[in-house]
Amino acid sequence: MKILVTGGVGYIGSHTVVELQQNGHEVVIVDNLSNSNIGVLDAIAKITGIKPEFENFDLADKTKTEDFFKCHSDIQGIIHFAAFKAVGESVNEPLMYYRNNLFSLVNILQSMKDNGVENLVFSSSCTVYGQPEKLPVSENAPVQKAESPYGNTKQISEEIIFDTVKASDIKGIAVRYFNPIGAHETAIIGELPLGVPNCLMPYITQTAIGIREQLSVFGDDYKTPDGTAIRDYIHVADLAKAHVIAVERMVKQKMKKDFEYFNLGTGNGYSVLEVIKSFEKVSGEKLNYKIVGRRAGDIEKVWADTNFANDELGWKAQQNIDEMTLSAWKWEQKLALNNK
Ligand code: UD1
């Protein structure tokens, strides 16, 4: 199958491109490199032996998107990752987030409609559940008011797809990620945060390697066993595999409804301190960290009910927390070697 992967040069996108190619699919990537590095294309080729076709443009540009689809009428499915994702930045620059994340989706859907492309897998987030009342959180849990413009773009995007599916032949699968961490087993691709990382795992590995002085643990007064916040960390390669299954499910017409939602997590919650302990164990490094106040907008705890994804997709995340933190560490060490 020929699959368009938007944002395919980025962190989750690049791992998905590798899995798609290794499952025999042809990939074309569209990415404007606003938060990614062109060198990742060669890195993908190093792993799979195939350099994916690549076009550099902004999907928020309607004309360029239309022109692209006219030249690629044989695309059978789209996995749409390309989006801005920094929560704090979205609070300061809401219009930038609404324009980038929503215009690109509308342009893609319009071009899908105009060119008879029917299958869209959309990168969503567990952020749509806010702080769920019941844990683990299932796909049936109510969507709660978004805490940030970024989160709101994910909710609105799901609604835009829902309405478009109702009114056309287009079908959609929204995959709601929990917290992706780790890197490819070869340590040839991984997360490449620009500047100071917002997320926990790259902050931990950058601190251990000496790029950052100290990790701040945001809050130890949550109602959790050790007081720090709990998340469902999932290995990025496990997440990538679920995308391949989702897009194949669509193209092979195995969907039960025209718009489906899946939680992609492991079903296990780990606190910030438990992630640090796992990292220290697998790396043999002592991490320099201190407890500080809570980060605004953070929820206390969330982990996924994975039953629906496990049963319907026939997919289950395989890697445990130690394997995840170790792969993140190997990647950070590889980056350090490359930068020497
Ligand atoms: C992340 C993303 C969010 C996405 C969600 C689900 C960010 C900022 N947030 O949320 O966009 O929707 O995953 O995929 O990118 N922590 C520290 N110190 C740090 C960094 C984090 O203690 O320096 C803590 C946080 O308070 C939180 C946990 O670690 O309890 C995880 O944080 P993070 O990796 O940023 O992920 P989320 O905030 O859960």
Side-chain angles (χ1 to χ4, degrees), residues 85 87 125-127 150 177-180 198-200 203 215-218 229 231 233 272 295 298:
K85 58 164 189 163
V87 176
S125 167
C126 69
T127 195
Y150 156 76
Y177 311 148
F178 284 67
N179 288 55
N198 293 311
C199 291
L200 178 64
Y203 212 107
L215 170 79
S216 296
V217 173
F218 298 134
R231 298 286 184 273
Y233 297 91
V272 177
R295 181 170 70 179
D298 271 352

Side-chain angles (χ1 to χ4, degrees), residues 105-212:
L105 176 67
V106 170
N107 289 342
I108 290 168
L109 286 167
Q110 184 66 57
S111 287
M112 288 175 73
K113 212 171 154 224
D114 295 344
N115 294 278
V117 182
E118 292 180 357
N119 304 304
L120 178 72
V121 177
F122 175 69
S123 228
S124 189
S125 167
C126 69
T127 195
V128 300
Y129 300 121
Q131 175 58 66
E133 268 175 32
K134 211 174 129 230
L135 288 168
V137 62
S138 84
E139 290 82 353
N140 300 325
V143 166
Q144 297 202 51
K145 186 170 165 33
E147 290 272 350
S148 69
Y150 156 76
N152 208 19
T153 67
K154 292 295 173 195
Q155 296 188 2
I156 296 170
S157 294
E158 288 193 356
E159 288 171 2
I160 291 173
I161 300 168
F162 180 87
D163 289 341
T164 309
V165 163
K166 264 203 303 200
S168 70
D169 293 332
I170 292 173
K171 297 186 286 302
I173 291 183
V175 273
R176 293 172 171 168
Y177 311 148
F178 284 67
N179 288 55
I181 60 170
H184 195 262
E185 57 181 356
T186 58
I188 293 173
I189 54 170
E191 193 168 2
L192 285 168
L194 277 185
V196 183
N198 293 311
C199 291
L200 178 64
M201 197 67 234
Y203 212 107
I204 289 178
T205 56
Q206 288 196 3
T207 304
I209 209 97
I211 300 172
R212 311 278 154 216

Side-chain angles (χ1 to χ4, degrees), residues 34-52:
S34 63
N35 189 22
S36 54
N37 182 324
I38 186 81
V40 169
L41 292 175
D42 286 329
I44 291 172
K46 207 166 159 194
I47 298 172
T48 64
I50 309 161
K51 193 162 172 177

